[in-house]
């Protein structure tokens, strides 16, 4: 009893960290010393036995000086290690900020591993702890939050930290993603400018397009929404044989598909099998629209009245002749683009003979049509809309005679890349065309500025709503400023055009008409004259265009939504009004598309007049 009391009351002095470490791992210094002495004695005894056997006397080996020196070094090293451990224990009692700023020991070594056994563990639920932020004493719970430095937070500081985290996430979410900015820029290039939130209708259409693989049918959507869906599908290249079925419904009479690049020949036949009463068909990128489809139309007697095909260049010339001969009497509109070599003058003669009721004719990129086709057009007396772009060279006189024959009934006229046309064509249009609403005449360098001025001066035709006179300029590189009698649209022609059609003009394209002087542009767009209907304008590569004139356009055209100005290097630092997309202005800092967002006095923004 007294022995146990003596043992329990024994007073022990402080122990070093190394001693505690050795004791926790059941390592005894006395045992190590005893084992060493035992091994040394055994070695000495073996040496004596060998010497007795050999007849020699071996004296007891004295400890060498090296061993004594090594023992001293070991003691010094042990003392240094103990001092380090004590210093680290004292350092752990300092604040956590001090502990974080001093991750290295006094001799530069990393102390994270060495301190692992001395760091204080996190308190358990029910224990008391000081808050990391406010140093307030609180009771730890299983729901206590961890602070930025690793410590625990009280209830108040935890709520404040959670509130700040939600605010940071909201700000991060509000930042426009890169993909959304790209979509916005794409819409602006298409002339779509959203002022504020998108409409509910557009949002629903986008939702349908995003989840198209889960849609089973479109139901009774109106035709304008079906067309919009078709455009979105084509842009995303998701219009396939499966998604095509969604557009089918009973009594379908109109089918408009913007991109048929992923459709096969059987898909086109399927259109007519599901919709045998279709009357209006518009297919773009229809490369697989072949003779088999034409055979199906002819055999089933499909009542097509309006046919628009883009890039259907695999239909043979003989099949065109058969189709126009048997089904042409019902056609009222025929628009064919990128025919390449699939239609020649003979097939076009059958078109004129077999389509007496044709009101709209569009032939573009046809490589085998020339003067005979132009002459045959004179018999299309009911024609109201004509659009031509022929690759073969044509005679200016034949084109003039054709305009004289069919011009009185024309409401729209588009002539592109007629390089041989001259002022006689403009004179014929001035004399015989009195019902035009839209006029396009591009890529010509023979018609003069005087001819354009005479066309629009005292013209009996009502003001035009659409004018495209792009790329009408001199291409004589020896005289870049043009000759005395300027070729192409220049100042006089431009002023006469704006005087005649400016009040009613909705779309204006004068790209690459580089002979228009600054005085003519300033007189038309001076901020005083107003063009209330103009919504779209293209003034690209008009080299006299500058910042004050662009500001004048904004002021003179209150309904403007899109202005394209590529190559106008004198335009910079212009403030764009709200709802207007300015495209193509070279700016090293900003995108080529600048969306408007300002309400201001445009005259003062120009800086000069």
């Amino acid at each position: 009893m007294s022995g146990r009391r003596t043992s329990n009351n024994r007073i022990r002095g402080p122990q070093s960290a190394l001693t505690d470490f050795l004791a926790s791992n059941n390592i005894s210094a006395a045992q190590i010393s005893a084992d060493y002495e035992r091994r040394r004695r055994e070695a000495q005894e073996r040496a004596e036995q060998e010497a007795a056997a050999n007849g020699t006397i071996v004296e007891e080996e004295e400890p060498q000086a090296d061993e004594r020196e090594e023992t001293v070094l070991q003691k010094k090293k042990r003392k240094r290690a103990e001092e380090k451990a004590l210093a680290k224990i004292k350092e752990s009692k300092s604040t956590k900020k001090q502990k974080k700023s001093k991750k290295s020991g006094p001799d530069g070594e990393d102390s994270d591993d060495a301190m692992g056994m001395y760091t204080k563990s996190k308190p358990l639920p029910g224990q008391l702890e000081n808050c990391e932020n406010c140093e307030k004493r609180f009771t730890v719970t299983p729901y206590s939050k961890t602070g930025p430095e690793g410590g625990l937070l009280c209830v108040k500081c935890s709520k404040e930290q959670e509130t700040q985290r939600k605010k940071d996430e909201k700000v991060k979410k509000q930042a426009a993603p890169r993909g959304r900015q790209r979509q916005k820029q794409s819409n602006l290039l298409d002339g779509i400018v959203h002022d504020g939130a998108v409409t509910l209708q557009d949002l629903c259409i986008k939702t349908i397009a995003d989840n198209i693989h889960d849609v089973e049918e479109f139901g009774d959507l109106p035709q304008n929404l079906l067309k919009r869906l078709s455009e979105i599908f084509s842009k995303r290249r998701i219009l396939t044989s499966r998604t095509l079925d969604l557009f089918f419904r009973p009594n379908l009479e109109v089918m408009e598909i913007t991109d048929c690049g992923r459709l096969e020949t059987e898909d086109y036949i399927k259109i007519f099998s599901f919709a045998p009463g279709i009357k209006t068909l518009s297919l773009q990128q229809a490369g697989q629209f072949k003779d088999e489809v034409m055979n199906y139309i002819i055999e089933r007697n499909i009542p097509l009245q309006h046919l628009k095909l883009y890039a259907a260049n695999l239909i043979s010339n003989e099949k065109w002749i058969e189709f126009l001969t048997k089904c042409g009497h019902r056609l009222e509109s025929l628009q064919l683009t990128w025919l390449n070599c699939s239609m020649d003058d003979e097939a076009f003669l059958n078109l004129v003979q077999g389509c007496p009721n044709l009101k709209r004719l569009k032939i573009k990129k046809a490589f085998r049509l020339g003067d005979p086709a132009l002459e045959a057009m004179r018999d299309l007396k009911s024609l109201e809309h004509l659009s031509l772009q022929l690759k073969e060279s044509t005679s200016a006189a034949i084109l003039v005679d054709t305009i004289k024959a069919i011009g009185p009934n024309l409401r729209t006229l588009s002539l592109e890349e007629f390089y041989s046309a001259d002022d006689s064509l403009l004179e014929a249009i001035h004399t015989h065309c009195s019902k035009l609403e839209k006029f396009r005449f591009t890529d010509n360098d023979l018609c003069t500025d005087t001819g354009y001025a005479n066309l629009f001066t005292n013209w009996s035709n009502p003001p035009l709503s659409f004018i495209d006179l792009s790329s009408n300029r001199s291409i004589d590189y020896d005289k870049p400023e043009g000759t005395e009698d300027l070729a192409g649209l220049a100042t006089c022609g431009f002023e006469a055009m704006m005087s005649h059609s400016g009040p009613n003009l909705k779309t204006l394209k004068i790209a690459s008409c580089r002979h228009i002087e600054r005085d003519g542009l300033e007189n038309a767009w001076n901020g005083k004259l107003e063009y209330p209907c103009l919504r779209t304008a293209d003034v690209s590569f008009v080299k006299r265009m500058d910042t004050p004139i662009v500001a004048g356009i904004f002021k003179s055209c209150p309904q403007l939504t899109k202005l394209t100005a590529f190559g106008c290097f004198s335009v910079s630092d212009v403030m764009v009004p709200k709802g207007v997309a300015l495209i193509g202005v070279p700016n090293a800092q900003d995108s080529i598309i600048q969306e408007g967002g300002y309400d201001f006095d445009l005259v003062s923004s120009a800086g000069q007049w």
Side-chain angles (χ1 to χ4, degrees):
M1 194 68 177
S2 61
R4 182 169 45 186
R5 185 180 300 112
T6 303
S7 177
N8 292 339
N9 293 335
R10 183 180 302 168
I11 299 174
R12 298 181 181 181
Q15 296 181 349
S16 65
L18 180 61
T19 303
D20 289 341
F21 174 76
L22 295 176
S24 63
N25 289 275
N26 295 324
I27 300 175
S28 174
Q31 182 65 33
I32 294 175
S33 179
D35 292 340
Y36 171 74
E37 293 294 336
R38 177 178 53 80
R39 287 194 299 272
R40 192 169 66 82
R41 286 195 303 270
E42 290 176 355
Q44 182 68 22
E45 290 176 357
R46 284 196 300 271
E48 291 177 355
Q49 292 176 359
E50 292 176 359
N54 295 331
T56 59
I57 300 174
V58 179
E59 297 180 357
E60 185 177 355
E61 186 178 358
E62 295 289 337
Q64 299 295 326
D66 294 340
E67 291 183 1
R68 290 195 298 269
E69 292 177 1
E70 184 179 1
T71 303
V72 172
L73 291 175
Q74 288 178 351
K75 289 181 179 179
K76 291 182 178 180
K77 186 176 181 180
R78 178 172 57 81
K79 290 182 179 180
R80 286 199 301 270
E82 292 177 355
E83 292 176 356
K84 279 185 182 181
L86 289 173
K88 290 172 184 177
I89 293 174
K90 294 178 180 180
E91 186 180 1
S92 65
K93 295 181 181 180
S94 63
T95 61
K96 297 184 182 300
K97 292 183 180 179
Q98 293 174 344
K99 191 171 62 174
K100 184 176 181 180
S101 62
K102 297 180 181 180
K103 287 187 176 181
S104 301
D107 55 353
E109 296 181 357
D110 192 1
S111 60
D112 288 344
D113 295 337
M115 288 296 298
M117 66 182 72
Y118 304 110
T119 55
K120 183 179 179 181
S121 61
K122 291 184 178 181
L124 299 175
Q127 295 180 347
L128 296 177
E129 178 68 359
N130 292 331
C131 177
E132 180 183 294
N133 290 345
C134 64
E135 298 294 337
K136 180 181 178 181
R137 195 78 167 169
F138 70 98
T139 304
V140 179
T141 67
Y143 308 102
S144 297
K145 301 291 183 180
T146 303
E149 301 296 336
L152 297 179
L153 301 177
C154 63
V155 176
K156 182 180 179 181
C157 295
S158 298
K159 291 181 179 180
E160 292 177 355
Q161 177 177 266
E162 185 68 16
T163 303
Q164 185 63 33
R165 184 185 64 82
K166 291 181 178 179
K167 288 182 180 180
D168 296 340
E169 289 181 354
K170 186 176 181 180
V171 171
K172 185 177 180 180
K173 189 180 296 183
Q174 287 177 350
R178 199 180 193 91
R180 189 179 302 174
Q181 288 289 346
R182 181 180 178 184
Q183 180 63 37
K184 187 176 182 180
Q185 299 285 316
S186 177
N187 291 337
L188 288 174
L189 281 175
D190 293 337
I192 303 174
V193 180
H194 288 297
D195 187 10
V198 298
T199 62
L200 180 59
Q201 184 182 94
D202 292 339
L203 187 60
C204 293
I205 292 175
K206 183 180 181 300
T207 303
I208 293 175
D210 292 340
N211 301 275
I212 186 59
H213 297 292
D214 299 329
V215 178
E216 296 181 358
E217 62 177 9
F218 285 155
D220 296 331
L221 289 179
Q223 182 59 35
N224 62 329
L225 294 186
L226 289 176
K227 182 179 179 180
R228 179 64 180 148
L229 283 170
S230 173
E231 293 173 350
I232 295 177
F233 289 180
S234 300
K235 190 172 184 179
R236 298 186 182 185
R237 303 306 300 271
I238 59 176
L239 187 60
T240 60
S241 179
R242 181 209 169 261
T243 55
L244 178 65
D245 296 342
L246 300 174
F247 292 89
F248 296 145
R249 53 184 177 178
N251 303 323
L252 181 66
E253 295 185 353
V254 179
M255 173 68 75
E256 295 178 293
I257 301 178
T258 307
D259 185 1
C260 305
R262 301 182 67 181
L263 299 183
E264 301 295 337
T265 304
E266 294 76 12
D267 297 323
Y268 298 112
I269 297 177
K270 183 170 60 175
I271 293 175
F272 299 106
S273 63
F274 275 93
I278 191 170
K279 296 181 180 180
T280 301
L281 180 65
S282 175
L283 303 175
Q284 299 190 32
Q285 313 296 342
Q288 298 300 314
F289 198 99
K290 301 179 181 178
D291 288 354
E292 294 86 344
V293 184
M294 281 295 191
N295 285 331
Y296 192 92
I297 295 174
I298 296 171
E299 293 172 0
R300 299 300 192 279
N301 198 23
I302 305 297
L304 280 176
Q305 296 179 0
H306 307 276
L307 179 61
K308 180 179 180 180
L309 297 177
Y310 186 97
N313 47 33
L314 297 181
I315 303 174
S316 64
N317 192 64
E318 293 75 15
K319 193 58 61 178
W320 273 119
I321 294 175
E322 182 182 358
F323 169 75
L324 295 171
T325 302
K326 296 182 179 180
C327 303
H329 62 282
R330 286 189 294 265
L331 285 178
E332 298 179 5
S333 173
L334 181 62
Q335 303 178 64
L336 305 175
T337 305
W338 278 110
L339 288 173
N340 292 357
C341 300
S342 65
M343 179 181 286
D344 59 6
D345 291 327
E346 181 184 358
F348 195 85
L349 292 176
N350 285 271
L351 184 152
V352 174
Q353 297 171 2
C355 306
N357 301 319
L358 200 63
K359 296 181 180 180
R360 183 186 295 271
L361 177 62
K362 178 179 180 180
I363 302 292
K364 287 190 174 184
K365 307 292 184 180
F367 296 163
R368 300 173 64 185
L369 297 181
D371 287 338
L374 285 177
E375 292 180 340
M377 289 181 194
R378 302 172 190 173
D379 297 330
L380 297 173
K381 301 299 182 181
S382 60
L383 201 62
E384 298 179 358
H385 308 274
L386 177 61
S387 180
L388 297 176
Q389 185 181 6
L390 308 180
K391 286 299 181 180
E392 286 193 2
S393 59
T394 57
S395 171
I398 294 177
L399 179 60
V400 169
D401 293 339
T402 302
I403 294 299
K404 291 179 180 179
I406 63 177
N409 292 328
L410 288 180
R411 294 168 54 192
T412 63
L413 176 61
S414 175
L415 302 174
E416 300 180 68
E417 298 181 3
F418 281 86
Y419 304 113
S420 60
D422 53 18
D423 287 346
S424 60
L425 173 64
L426 300 179
E427 183 180 353
I429 295 173
H430 176 87
T431 305
H432 297 89
C433 298
S434 58
K435 298 180 181 179
L436 288 182
E437 300 173 359
K438 299 181 179 181
F439 177 54
R440 174 184 282 118
F441 183 60
T442 63
D443 297 281
N444 180 271
D445 64 327
L446 294 182
C447 294
T448 63
D449 185 41
T450 304
Y452 289 106
N454 293 334
L455 169 64
F456 291 101
T457 303
N458 298 325
W459 191 12
S460 59
N461 194 86
L464 300 170
S465 62
F466 179 98
I467 295 178
D468 184 2
L469 297 178
S470 301
S471 301
N472 290 322
R473 80 284 190 213
S474 173
I475 57 175
D476 187 357
Y477 298 108
D478 295 333
K479 299 178 180 180
E481 298 298 330
T483 59
E484 294 181 0
D485 190 7
L486 288 175
L489 181 66
T491 305
C492 294
F494 175 73
E495 291 179 344
M497 176 188 68
M498 297 302 292
S499 177
H500 174 269
S501 301
N504 196 49
L505 202 58
K506 296 181 180 179
T507 300
L508 174 63
K509 297 182 180 181
I510 54 172
S512 299
C513 294
R514 54 190 176 89
H515 300 307
I516 303 176
E517 296 296 333
R518 190 182 189 281
D519 294 340
L521 297 171
E522 187 176 2
N523 292 335
W525 291 307
N526 55 13
K528 300 177 182 178
L529 298 177
E530 186 170 304
Y531 306 96
C533 300
L534 189 61
R535 299 182 60 84
T536 304
D538 187 354
V539 295
S540 300
F541 301 101
V542 179
K543 60 181 181 179
R544 300 293 189 271
M545 189 69 59
D546 57 13
T547 301
I549 295 177
V550 170
I553 294 175
F554 292 150
K555 184 171 180 63
S556 299
C557 308
Q559 299 297 323
L560 190 69
T561 59
K562 180 180 179 181
L563 178 63
T564 306
F566 286 101
C568 300
F569 300 106
S570 298
V571 179
S572 61
D573 300 329
V574 62
M575 298 182 69
V576 185
K578 187 176 182 180
V580 178
L582 177 59
I583 302 174
V585 174
N587 192 320
Q589 301 298 326
D590 300 327
S591 171
I592 61 172
I593 302 174
Q594 299 181 13
E595 184 184 10
Y598 299 96
D599 294 320
F600 60 98
D601 186 356
L602 291 170
V603 177
S604 62
S605 72
Q608 59 177 337
W609 286 104

